[in-house]
Amino acid sequence: MGGAAGEAMRAGVVAVFLAVAVSGAAAGTLPRFAEAPEYRNGEGCPAAAAGVCDPGLVHIAMTLDAHYLRGSMAAVYSLLKHASCPESIFFHFLALEAGAAAGEEPEPELLRRAVAASFPSLRFEIYPFRAEAVAGLISASVRAALEAPLNYARNHLADLLPRCVPRAIYLDSDVLAADDVRRLWETRLPAAAVVAAPEYCHANFSRYFTPAFWSDPGLGARVFAGRRRPPCYFNTGVMVIDLRRWRAGNYRQRIERWMEIQKEKRIYELGSLPPFLLVFAGEVEAVDHRWNQHGLGGDNVHGSCRPLHDGPVSLMHWSGKGKPWDRLDAGRPCPLDHTWKSYDLYIPSDGAVSPASGPALAASLFSW
């Protein structure tokens, strides 16, 4: 659908997502979570950090909202559990800034309290993100969830995080760590690279863009000419980003320019991923595939079960439609969803404690 009618439909979709984003906190409540075990630094870790600008910190950025909070909690738990220096990790959470009814706390504050209660010693900050910053740029996607404004918050990381933070690992909320994240943090970024991520050059790169894109003489292969390497698909749910180079190169504006072109002519179907590919494909510094065993949520339509790829695993990623918490609650889990369950801090309404919580955590329940 194009023209005014298409724009009206897309504006309506964005409005729906704004409503969904705040609905979990509209009544001043969030799901209940147990307190996670506390993890301490081992030998050889940096001295206690004085603040967010401490050079010994590992910086992890994630989005945070009521709908995906259960996934975020499990992700944080797994990252701390497998870290050699858990007290040296600083989490930067981007949360949608939305108005609260009279007498109610804004959602970012509710989320702050929930995270602090489950992780009392966690070093973190929450940065309010205005949906209006991207609402006018979002186009309809193959799956409605991909149109949520918070999906585009990662484009603004360099604007929101303190200037003293040199780089950040961006992670989606549907991941689990199985390795020490400091190894990913120490990825070398040569002078020509702004982003490092696992690449998948066997994937059909052309399918991420429409025939209209490839047939346009001003677009298509011409867009990727002259890059360091042939363009390959990479998943934006796991990235190491040099924030200083990002700012210097005005990369948010470059991504948004492609989003504006998408509004003029339909050149892709998959939400926030294709603009990243248009800017960075062929320029990404490759990371070992072990750091993004993605696709565990199936495709964007059916969300069917998928196994791990061959090779070692440092991070599992339930990208795709199927989320492990939804499939578990529905009584139709995939085999790997049981692995995710072992990190699930969620306390259901009947008060049953998940395997992740265990007896030591059963007494520590929180309700928001």
Side-chain angles (χ1 to χ4, degrees), residues 86-99:
E87 295 176 281
S88 300
I89 300 177
F90 197 104
F91 287 85
H92 304 265
F93 297 115
L94 280 56
L96 201 62
E97 184 178 58

Side-chain angles (χ1 to χ4, degrees), residues 135-152:
L137 295 167
I138 296 174
S139 300
S141 181
V142 295
R143 182 160 59 92
L146 301 177
E147 298 163 26
L150 204 55
N151 287 341
Y152 297 84

Side-chain angles (χ1 to χ4, degrees), residues 251-265:
Y251 281 96
R252 175 175 64 80
Q253 290 85 348
R254 296 190 195 190
I255 288 172
E256 290 178 349
R257 178 55 189 145
W258 282 112
M259 294 173 69
E260 291 169 351
I261 292 173
Q262 165 76 348
K263 303 283 280 188
E264 299 165 3
K265 57 179 76 174

Side-chain angles (χ1 to χ4, degrees), residues 10 13 54 61 64 78 102 129 151 175 196 200 205 215 238 249 251 260 264 291 308 317 331 337 342 348 357 363:
R10 287 186 280 272
V13 170
D54 192 291
L64 197 65
S78 71
F129 176 70
N151 287 341
V175 303
Y200 304 91
F205 185 77
S215 63
V238 180
Y251 281 96
E260 291 169 351
E264 299 165 3
W291 284 106
L308 290 170
H317 185 188
D337 295 345
S342 65
S357 306

Side-chain angles (χ1 to χ4, degrees), residues 181-263:
V181 74
R182 182 171 286 274
R183 295 173 180 166
L184 179 60
W185 171 258
E186 293 173 348
T187 297
R188 178 180 171 273
L189 275 171
V194 178
V195 171
E199 288 186 301
Y200 304 91
C201 295
H202 64 279
N204 182 0
F205 185 77
S206 64
R207 73 183 181 92
Y208 292 96
F209 304 97
T210 63
F213 170 82
W214 293 111
S215 63
D216 190 316
L219 299 175
R222 183 174 180 178
V223 170
F224 306 102
R227 300 200 176 181
R228 289 198 297 152
R229 295 188 302 276
C232 292
Y233 160 73
F234 66 97
N235 181 280
T236 52
V238 180
M239 297 184 290
V240 181
I241 303 173
D242 188 304
L243 298 175
R244 293 170 178 169
R245 294 176 189 172
W246 181 287
R247 294 188 197 101
N250 296 314
Y251 281 96
R252 175 175 64 80
Q253 290 85 348
R254 296 190 195 190
I255 288 172
E256 290 178 349
R257 178 55 189 145
W258 282 112
M259 294 173 69
E260 291 169 351
I261 292 173
Q262 165 76 348
K263 303 283 280 188

